[in-house]
């Protein structure tokens, strides 16, 4: 699959969210970090803001729920307009049931793993998912440095996906930039969440194009 770039609205100017969303409309998805100050030590936006973003941009919304009790709250984000919903396996009470509910409501089902959470115990869950997110920083704050020790985990995850013959996306989130995206792509990731690397640039749309080019170059995909 061709690499996808998902700018993280967490790094945008929250006083200008509609303009910031439009500034990256060449991106594949707009990544929306939802934090509840319980599962992670930070509080961000919720359902009403997701609804507003959905009206402000044509870019589909990729909601990453860093919250407790995603089994209860995930369906509301689909109703708010999310096209993809990611829950953390560490927080979900019934991940298979939740993934099936997300799919049944018309969104892509994705499961996230914290850096210390191994992929192997969840191998049997992979067919229930459309995407798997390997966190490359500890969830909770933007602007953190990329954890190189996650590269072997990305490779192992890609190998498991291939072993099952699945057409799953493999997303990475945390410290993705022009300096790290090629290593992630070479390890097997194909969906890249980038926050400050996009919104910290003078031209966010250009930053998206440059990141996509680097990922394509690393994997030899069309466009490289």
């Amino acid at each position: 699959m061709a690499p996808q770039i998902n700018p993280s609205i967490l790094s945008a100017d929250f006083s200008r969210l509609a303009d910031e969303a439009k500034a990256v409309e060449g991106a594949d998805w707009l990544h929306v970090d939802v934090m509840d100050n319980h599962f992670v030590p930070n509080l961000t936006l919720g359902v009403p803001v997701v609804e507003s973003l959905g009206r402000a941009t044509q870019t589909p919304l990729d909601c990453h729920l860093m919250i407790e009790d995603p089994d209860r709250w995930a369906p509301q984000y689909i109703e708010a307009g999310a096209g993809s919903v990611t829950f953390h396996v560490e927080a979900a009470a019934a991940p298979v049931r939740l993934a099936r509910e997300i799919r049944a409501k018309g969104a892509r089902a994705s499961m996230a793993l914290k850096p210390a959470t191994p992929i192997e115990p969840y191998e049997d869950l992979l067919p229930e998912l459309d995407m798997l997110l390997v966190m490359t920083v500890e969830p909770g704050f933007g602007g953190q440095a990329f954890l190189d020790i996650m590269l072997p985990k990305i490779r192992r995850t890609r190998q498991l996906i291939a072993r099952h013959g699945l057409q799953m996306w493999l997303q990475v989130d945390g410290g993705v930039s022009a300096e790290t995206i090629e290593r992630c792509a070479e390890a097997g990731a194909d969906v890249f969440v980038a926050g400050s690397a996009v919104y910290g640039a003078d031209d966010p749309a250009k930053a998206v194009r440059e990141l996509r080019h680097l990922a394509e170059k690393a994997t030899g995909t069309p466009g490289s």
Side-chain angles (χ1 to χ4, degrees):
M1 187 187 78
Q4 299 186 54
I5 307 299
N6 298 12
S8 173
I9 202 75
L10 181 65
S11 296
D13 181 349
F14 274 30
S15 70
R16 304 173 50 251
L17 281 184
D19 292 337
E20 296 282 63
K22 291 176 182 176
V24 294
E25 286 194 335
D28 299 281
W29 295 75
L30 186 64
H31 190 81
V32 183
D33 287 309
V34 178
M35 306 182 193
D36 64 357
N37 200 31
H38 294 285
F39 180 69
V40 292
N42 198 1
L43 183 65
T44 58
L45 43 81
V47 170
V49 177
V50 171
E51 289 178 336
S52 297
L53 280 171
R55 294 192 295 268
T57 180
Q58 297 299 309
T59 307
L61 303 182
D62 167 32
C63 285
H64 177 191
L65 307 184
M66 288 173 271
I67 63 175
E68 291 182 350
D69 200 7
D71 306 73
R72 174 185 177 188
W73 297 109
Q76 294 191 30
Y77 287 90
I78 302 168
E79 294 166 7
S84 176
V85 175
T86 300
F87 61 88
H88 269 267
V89 71
E90 302 91 352
V96 172
R97 183 176 64 198
L98 178 55
R100 290 180 177 179
E101 183 176 7
I102 291 170
R103 281 177 158 181
K105 289 184 175 293
R108 295 181 63 86
S110 172
M111 186 175 77
L113 305 175
K114 287 183 174 184
T117 303
I119 177 58
E120 287 78 9
Y122 304 103
E123 179 178 354
D124 291 343
L125 275 66
L126 296 181
E128 304 289 342
L129 303 168
D130 299 296
M131 183 170 74
L132 193 125
L133 167 56
V134 173
M135 292 296 299
T136 44
V137 298
E138 290 293 340
F141 295 93
Q144 298 182 65
F146 179 82
L147 294 174
D148 285 280
I149 57 172
M150 291 298 102
L151 291 170
K153 181 176 174 181
I154 296 169
R155 293 190 186 95
R156 294 196 306 272
T157 303
R158 175 53 67 191
Q159 290 167 358
L160 288 179
I161 292 170
R163 183 184 303 167
H164 288 269
L166 301 171
Q167 298 298 312
M168 263 184 77
W169 298 352
L170 178 52
Q171 185 180 68
V172 288
D173 180 4
V176 175
S177 67
E179 289 70 42
T180 60
I181 193 168
E182 291 180 90
R183 279 176 279 163
C184 294
E186 289 166 355
D190 48 24
V191 183
F192 306 89
V193 177
S196 54
V198 171
Y199 281 111
D202 292 334
D203 185 340
K206 181 180 179 182
V208 169
R209 293 193 297 270
E210 290 175 346
L211 288 170
R212 184 181 286 114
H213 172 72
L214 289 170
E216 290 171 344
K217 179 182 176 184
T219 55
T221 51
S224 60

